[in-house]
Amino acid sequence: MRITVVEGDITSQDVDAVVNAANRGMRGGSGVDGAIHAAGAPEVLEDCRRRFPHGLATGDAGWTTAGRMAARWVIHVVGPNRHAGETDRSLLTSCYRRALEVADELGARSVAFPLVSAGVYGWSREESVDAALEVFRSADTADTGVDEARFVAFGRSAHELVRSRVESPGGPG
């Protein structure tokens, strides 16, 4: 699997699937979640209501249509909220692992990822990138059908941080 890094808006990525850093209720929110629901239009929310009437557990993932975005699917992951006491790193790595598993179920070859739980959920960008790289570079994901895992960093400083960690020879994973 090739790991790439781009600076930009995850909602405009021309990939098979975009990953949404969702909340447990799966009804939209702020940050990446709000942007994806806005760009996908009502179709994303309607599909969330239909597929996930009770939401999802922290660390889990599921998919919906991408609505009006260029991608075909949205893979929703519920990241851990450090501020709410969810400090178990395995919940964060589970988001990336489950996203790849769902991508495989869908047959998605290219997947755009945000920095899950970085931001309002209190995990640092470094922790989020390192958790993703641990999963992307592990032997467990050697059999994935995903050809490209694309980090989409919003803003220059985030892009530089992600790029430097991905390119670091001694980095995680």
Side-chain angles (χ1 to χ4, degrees), residues 30-160:
S30 61
V32 171
D33 195 20
I36 284 176
H37 276 268
E43 294 90 339
V44 174
L45 181 57
E46 289 167 12
D47 213 10
C48 279
R49 285 184 176 137
R50 186 174 59 79
R51 291 179 182 277
F52 310 105
H54 305 291
L56 282 172
T58 301
D60 203 0
W63 66 274
T64 64
T65 180
R68 299 178 189 169
M69 288 184 282
R72 183 169 177 191
W73 300 288
V74 175
I75 299 172
H76 303 267
V77 299
V78 179
N81 184 339
R82 185 180 280 283
H83 300 304
E86 295 175 326
T87 59
D88 182 349
R89 190 172 182 278
S90 69
L91 291 171
L92 187 56
T93 56
S94 178
C95 290
Y96 292 103
R97 185 172 291 105
R98 286 287 299 129
L100 289 176
E101 290 169 358
V102 171
D104 284 339
E105 291 169 16
L106 295 168
R109 308 296 274 179
S110 56
V111 182
F113 288 85
L115 299 180
V116 176
S117 289
V120 297
Y121 275 17
W123 291 77
S124 72
R125 294 185 298 189
E126 292 87 352
E127 289 170 312
S128 184
V129 173
D130 291 351
L133 290 175
E134 178 184 316
V135 170
F136 296 165
R137 293 176 174 164
S138 75
D140 294 343
T141 59
D143 292 332
T144 184
V146 174
D147 295 324
E148 178 190 12
R150 180 184 302 174
F151 277 114
V152 182
F154 189 73
R156 185 178 190 153
S157 65
H159 178 260
E160 290 175 3

